[in-house]
Amino acid sequence: MTISHAELRQFPVQDDCLQLGGIALTRLAERVGRTPFYAYERNHIQSRIGLLRQVLPAGVHLHYAVKANPMPALVQMMASLVDGFDVASGGEMKIALDAGMPSPRISFAGPGKSNAELRSAVAAGVVLHLESEDEMARAARVGELLGIRPRVAVRVNPEFELKYAGMKMAGGARQFGVDAERVPVMLRKLGQLELDFQGFHLFCGAQNLSAKAICEAQLLSVQLALRLAEHAPAPMRLLNIGGGFGVPYFPGERPLDLAAVAEGLHATAQVLSAASPETRLILELGRYLVAEGGVYVCRVLERKLSHGQVFVITDGGLHHHLAASGNFGQVIRKNYPVAVGNRMHAAPREVVTVVGPLCTPLDMLADSMELARVEPGDYVVVFQSGAYGLTASPTAFLGHPPPLEVLV
Ligand SMILES: *Cc1c(COP(=O)(O)O)cnc(C)c1O
């Protein structure tokens, strides 16, 4: 069985060796000093953002969702490329502030913000995306205590949901946001509190490869926000309509049609600017900006034959890259794109199963995949690994050292 993948051409190959940031993988591995490691390529991320800037309507602000990859050096680079950051914890807020992003351009979303997080967020001056009436009351109390008027936006849980999203985060009963029908009452209370109302936030879902579904959700989000804004105590200065742009991971998946998304967003942005010209429209993207610019690299320790099947045992696995093992949100395990980085097109090829060193059958990086024939010491590369990699993995499981990370 040969498993094919969306063609991966984001990194060049020279002398059969993958090049990252203009450096041969074998040499980069020597520079890093040990495997496994993650490598993120500046050039790829910069081009991705450049492409978005080219096609998106001019007034749209582009935010980076730090959750996708919070490596401080990467976030630092992002600070000069995007218009704002979205964070979802006190820890991410610290990274965002350290990177030099001005606090009014940082938004803090997520259910269950602690009082300590609210306090430091209000002191910092970031925009709190309120996820409940209780959180609104707590934010107002913190503001009173500190003598600061907290900047707030209301995260809305709309009635509609994002079709074809890999992960739905709105529509129906959710732990995220405030049900749309309850928002008018909440806004009346908000007006009686010492809170600086900024606008609304809607985030419908993630990992969507359907331009049509994204465009529909964006238009519905703007229409809903305009209706809710009639109940707001102050003008709607910002409207964050989320993102959810997906990237292809698995056999048969096609890249998102960005031109179609941009076309829809031009129309949607016009609806907003006609009704509310002062409102800043914000798109928040994590995965789409960084996933394809990153790889995970591990080394072959051993080849093993069992009942006629070849197992390639590596020093990397699910403890570093849970998503590639298929255990982060997948229902049926599918292979991430994998290659042998120092034998990209070499013959002979064979069908193998690539596993890690952990004592669990879940620790698998590629199931029955055709790869170049490997020897111990060769480099196994997992593509599409720049988002939800290291920090979305159980690094303490089995007690192996964590992987390194480089930005090249
Ligand atoms: C996770 C998350 C994002 C980022 O989603 P991606 O799929 O990485 O683009 C953006 N906004 C919010 C509120 C999130 O929770």
Side-chain angles (χ1 to χ4, degrees):
M1 175 178 42
T2 306
I3 296 169
S4 61
H5 281 283
E7 217 178 325
L8 293 168
R9 282 181 300 188
Q10 66 260 61
F11 308 113
V13 174
Q14 220 174 357
D15 301 329
D16 216 21
C17 186
L18 193 71
Q19 311 280 308
L20 296 160
I23 308 164
L25 175 68
T26 45
R27 182 162 175 176
L28 179 64
E30 293 300 334
R31 173 181 133 182
V32 173
R34 66 172 164 87
T35 52
F37 63 90
Y38 279 93
Y40 316 118
E41 196 191 67
R42 294 172 207 272
N43 190 39
H44 188 275
I45 297 168
Q46 282 161 358
S47 324
R48 175 53 57 94
I49 294 171
L51 177 67
L52 278 162
R53 297 281 195 200
Q54 244 174 43
V55 302
L56 294 180
V60 171
H61 281 227
L62 188 59
H63 280 206
Y64 174 56
V66 171
K67 175 179 77 185
N69 189 330
M71 182 205 193
L74 184 145
V75 176
Q76 179 78 54
M77 175 185 82
M78 286 295 200
S80 62
L81 299 174
V82 299
D83 306 305
F85 286 149
D86 292 304
V87 302
S89 71
E92 287 187 1
M93 184 181 75
K94 181 185 184 304
I95 293 171
L97 289 166
D98 284 347
M101 182 60 74
S103 60
R105 288 170 179 263
I106 299 173
S107 57
F108 188 168
K113 298 181 194 75
S114 70
N115 286 335
E117 285 175 318
L118 288 176
R119 198 169 166 137
S120 85
V122 170
V126 309
V127 182
L128 283 171
H129 284 185
L130 301 175
E131 305 261 354
S132 70
E133 285 188 44
D134 178 84
E135 192 176 284
M136 174 174 74
R138 289 192 291 132
R141 239 175 288 139
V142 165
E144 223 171 287
L145 211 70
L146 299 182
I148 301 167
R149 198 150 173 260
R151 292 192 177 100
V152 298
V154 176
R155 179 167 180 184
V156 181
N157 175 29
E159 280 309 315
F160 57 87
E161 57 177 41
L162 180 57
K163 287 176 206 146
Y164 311 116
M167 204 180 283
K168 289 190 187 6
M169 290 175 69
R174 298 284 166 188
Q175 73 265 53
F176 307 110
V178 180
D179 293 350
E181 70 205 37
R182 300 181 57 141
V183 170
V185 173
M186 177 173 175
L187 289 170
R188 203 171 321 127
K189 290 183 191 159
L190 197 156
Q192 290 153 8
L193 296 166
E194 279 301 313
L195 293 170
D196 179 5
F197 175 79
Q198 301 276 311
F200 297 105
H201 175 212
L202 291 99
F203 184 73
C204 297
Q207 179 49 19
N208 202 312
L209 291 171
S210 162
K212 189 163 171 278
I214 289 173
C215 292
E216 273 174 26
Q218 288 179 337
L219 179 60
L220 288 170
S221 297
V222 164
Q223 289 168 337
L224 175 59
L226 286 170
R227 285 199 301 278
L228 294 174
E230 291 170 20
H231 303 270
M236 172 167 64
R237 305 237 294 274
L238 66 85
L239 172 56
N240 182 330
I241 55 168
F245 296 12
V247 302
Y249 289 99
F250 307 122
E253 287 186 338
R254 314 208 115 268
L256 179 65
D257 182 351
L258 189 60
V261 172
E263 198 183 309
L265 195 56
H266 275 274
T268 295
Q270 266 169 16
V271 171
L272 179 66
S273 65
S276 183
E278 303 301 307
T279 305
R280 188 190 327 145
L281 187 59
I282 299 168
L283 210 54
E284 58 175 356
L285 299 173
R287 186 190 313 266
Y288 193 74
L289 302 187
V290 294
E292 296 183 275
V295 296
Y296 173 67
V297 181
C298 55
R299 260 186 124 146
V300 176
L301 297 172
E302 217 180 279
R303 293 170 55 88
K304 182 170 179 174
L305 202 63
S306 171
H307 288 279
Q309 201 177 333
V310 180
F311 287 87
V312 170
I313 303 178
T314 71
D315 59 2
L318 80 75
H319 53 317
H320 296 164
H321 201 334
L322 187 64
S325 78
N327 295 292
F328 188 61
Q330 284 190 48
V331 181
I332 299 166
R333 193 195 174 285
K334 290 181 227 139
N335 285 330
Y336 265 49
V338 169
V340 182
N342 57 314
R343 300 177 194 270
M344 287 297 288
H345 306 302
R349 303 185 82 80
E350 62 180 350
V351 175
V352 299
T353 294
V354 181
V355 300
L358 307 188
C359 284
T360 160
L362 300 178
D363 190 16
M364 187 183 285
L365 292 175
D367 183 13
S368 309
M369 186 184 281
E370 189 188 289
L371 295 175
R373 189 182 194 286
V374 296
E375 295 299 334
D378 282 344
Y379 296 95
V380 169
V381 176
V382 181
F383 293 90
Q384 313 296 72
S385 297
Y388 305 106
L390 171 56
T391 58
S393 300
T395 49
F397 189 41
L398 271 281
H400 291 279
L404 297 169
E405 290 182 292
V406 285
L407 182 65
V408 293

